Amino acid sequence: MASGPSLDEQITSAVERVYASVVNVSTVRLVFDNFLQVHPVQGIGSGVIIDPGGYIVTNNHVVANANRVFVTLPNGQQLEGGVVGADPYSDIALIRVKASGLNAASLGDSDKLKVGQLVIAIGNPFGPLLGGPTVTIGVVSALKRHIGAGDFVLENLIQTDAAINPGNSGGPLVDSGGDVIGINTAMIPFAQGIGFAIPINAVKRAVQDLIRYGRVLRPWLGVLATTLTRGLSEYYGLQPIKGALVLRVVPHGPAYEAGLEPGDIITALDSVQIRSVEDLHHAVQEKRVGDVVRLAIVRQDRRLELTAELSEQPS
């Protein structure tokens, strides 16, 4: 009876499949000192080629405020790139270089990830200085993690124990088949063995918007809500059901135009059951600007269904 490939063979095969797609991203940023003298400051990170025509995904923080961006391929070739668009809220940026026939990575489906699954983090922090990309392995430690990142909160991240060093930011997190299932984005300082990656399905949606609009369009319902707990139900005399309790409706927003009112309890959005405010936020973010959604709500003792057309989240 023939046996399948060993774990070593799976890992090496996965790395070989994506190795040529992982690039070094270096930047030059001009800053003024106290005497108003201009000094160039260099930065480094990693990226992954997602299209043979020159599109490369990296982190927003890798290219933020950069005056020039350079991409070094695994073969040592250096190309100057331009930032197509960037999104600080998801820490995703899209670079394009003038090249064709590049080795594009295969993008997987992050919705199918499971805790405990083998993953491989690949980065290219120093380009040809260290001979190309570096590799670490680990497992998916948790899903749908939220972490603070400066003025923003990065949501629904993949947590992994694969070592992600600072220069590996922007590189791919891949599964045992070599498909990219995330973009490495952060490491908690002083916390050993904890790294994070942006799910590739969120990256795909962001990339589409960055190519078309130069920014990411976020759908918006226009409500302030909270998870309906037993305590809140008793305090307000509401039905003890699970859902998102609407506290405020933004005037003239999508929910306002749909007829939603403070005190309504949202229990479903289209076919998605809403049991918490996190469920509501995630369900909305899975949609696109302009989508019409059905909201199942409870208002006092009545069950109603409203329709709302999602608009772009105000900046």
Side-chain angles (χ1 to χ4, degrees):
M1 181 176 178
S3 61
S6 67
L7 182 60
D8 283 353
E9 291 171 331
Q10 290 182 51
I11 294 171
T12 55
S13 176
V15 171
E16 288 171 357
R17 188 177 176 203
V18 74
Y19 193 86
S21 304
V22 185
V23 303
N24 169 257
V25 178
S26 59
T27 62
V28 176
R29 182 166 51 93
L30 301 179
V31 299
F32 291 91
D33 62 19
N34 293 334
F35 301 100
L36 298 182
Q37 299 294 312
V38 179
H39 298 276
V41 175
Q42 293 185 315
I44 58 169
S46 300
V48 59
I49 301 167
I50 61 166
D51 184 273
Y55 283 113
I56 296 164
V57 167
T58 186
N59 288 147
N60 171 72
H61 74 260
V62 171
V63 299
N65 303 314
N67 295 90
R68 301 185 73 180
V69 177
F70 299 93
V71 171
T72 304
L73 304 180
N75 63 9
Q77 181 184 6
Q78 187 178 74
L79 303 167
E80 184 160 7
V83 178
V84 175
D87 181 52
Y89 296 97
S90 62
D91 199 23
I92 284 295
L94 185 65
I95 300 169
R96 190 171 192 184
V97 296
K98 292 181 179 179
S100 60
L102 299 180
N103 293 291
S106 173
L107 306 185
D109 183 355
S110 52
D111 288 345
K112 295 181 179 179
L113 284 176
K114 295 181 179 180
V115 174
Q117 181 175 334
L118 175 73
V119 288
I120 307 163
I122 306 178
N124 196 342
F126 300 109
L129 293 178
L130 292 183
T134 59
V135 177
T136 58
I137 65 170
V139 298
V140 175
S141 305
L143 297 168
K144 298 183 179 180
R145 290 297 202 205
H146 308 316
I147 63 168
D151 297 330
F152 310 106
V153 175
L154 299 177
E155 300 180 333
N156 298 317
L157 299 180
I158 303 164
Q159 180 182 324
T160 176
D161 65 350
I164 299 173
N165 300 312
N168 291 344
S169 270
L173 188 72
V174 305
D175 61 18
S176 59
D179 290 332
V180 178
I181 46 81
I183 299 295
N184 303 323
T185 187
M187 180 178 65
I188 296 179
F190 316 115
Q192 262 189 326
I194 300 178
F196 296 92
I198 306 158
I200 199 62
N201 288 2
V203 175
K204 292 175 187 176
R205 292 192 295 270
V207 164
Q208 290 176 0
D209 283 352
L210 291 174
I211 291 173
R212 187 170 182 180
Y213 307 107
R215 69 184 193 280
V216 174
L217 274 60
R218 284 185 167 74
W220 182 61
L221 183 59
V223 298
L224 175 64
T226 188
T227 300
L228 183 62
T229 62
R230 178 175 295 181
L232 284 174
S233 298
E234 293 174 353
Y235 183 83
Y236 288 107
L238 301 171
Q239 293 187 36
I241 59 176
K242 292 184 177 180
L245 173 64
V246 177
L247 303 176
R248 179 172 175 264
V249 179
V250 178
H252 308 295
Y256 177 92
E257 299 296 340
L260 210 65
E261 299 176 359
D264 288 345
I265 304 166
I266 302 174
T267 58
L269 189 151
D270 287 342
S271 60
V272 178
Q273 296 298 307
I274 305 300
R275 298 177 178 272
S276 66
V277 69
E278 289 81 13
D279 288 348
L280 177 62
H281 177 74
H282 184 69
V284 170
Q285 292 307 308
E286 288 294 306
K287 299 295 183 179
R288 307 287 292 181
V289 172
D291 283 353
V292 176
V293 298
R294 292 175 288 104
L295 298 170
I297 68 167
V298 176
R299 178 177 296 167
Q300 296 177 350
D301 294 327
R302 294 180 296 158
R303 292 185 177 270
L304 306 172
E305 184 175 284
L306 306 176
T307 58
E309 182 177 345
L310 301 178
S311 63
E312 183 180 358
Q313 181 176 322
S315 58

